[in-house]
Amino acid sequence: MDARTHLKLFVIATVAWALFWVIGLPAYYQQYSTPFMVWFDALALLPLGLIFLLVLRRVRPGRRMQRSLWMAFYFTVPVAIYDWLYCGLFLGYGLSFVLVYWYLSVYYVLPWLVLPVCAAFLNRRQMSQPV
């Protein structure tokens, strides 16, 4: 990937985090019950998976897995850092924010699982199509 694509992924992830943060105000989703947040996380995974598939579909098969891993990186590492800065430092939870804000923490792992599976699915699907 070139520097422009890295920057693009970083900016998209940053904007997505900022929007998610604003939507979660005033208490960054702490105002909702645990059952609601379980449903919210589960339902949020569906459109994200679809978006991942649509984006990766446009990537050449030989580069899909690499792109999926870079996407996983940009949608987890910077996001986790932003959450740590806000929840851990600003709100004072320290590293325990990963437990308090568990509904955020699951998204530090899920992209690493979902994106490579999407890439593998698209590659397998493309290989099985008749030429």
Side-chain angles (χ1 to χ4, degrees):
M1 276 186 353
D2 61 6
R4 184 174 177 226
T5 305
H6 282 283
L7 181 60
K8 184 178 175 181
L9 283 172
F10 176 75
V11 168
I12 291 169
T14 298
V15 169
W17 178 86
L19 288 172
F20 191 76
W21 179 77
V22 167
I23 292 168
L25 291 175
Y28 207 14
Y29 301 94
Q30 289 287 298
Q31 67 269 29
Y32 300 112
S33 69
T34 298
F36 176 85
M37 290 312 299
V38 168
W39 279 103
F40 181 82
D41 269 1
L43 292 176
L45 193 56
L46 295 172
L48 284 175
L50 181 59
I51 290 167
F52 292 155
L53 280 171
L54 293 172
V55 169
L56 289 172
R57 187 176 69 176
R58 297 177 35 203
V59 177
R60 290 192 325 248
R63 298 221 173 230
R64 238 182 231 139
M65 189 58 69
Q66 177 190 28
R67 180 68 57 91
S68 76
L69 295 174
W70 276 115
M71 288 172 65
F73 174 84
Y74 283 110
F75 283 92
T76 57
V77 175
V79 167
I81 291 169
Y82 298 149
D83 285 338
W84 174 72
L85 289 171
Y86 179 66
C87 301
L89 293 182
F90 182 75
L91 296 179
Y93 286 100
L95 289 178
S96 69
F97 87 91
V98 298
L99 299 174
V100 174
Y101 294 88
W102 60 269
Y103 47 86
L104 304 174
S105 303
V106 297
Y107 281 94
Y108 309 151
V109 176
L110 286 175
W112 291 100
L113 302 173
V114 173
L115 279 156
V117 169
C118 288
F121 169 77
L122 288 169
N123 285 344
R124 178 177 284 192
R125 185 169 159 246
Q126 189 166 8
M127 288 175 48
S128 68
Q129 290 180 348
V131 178

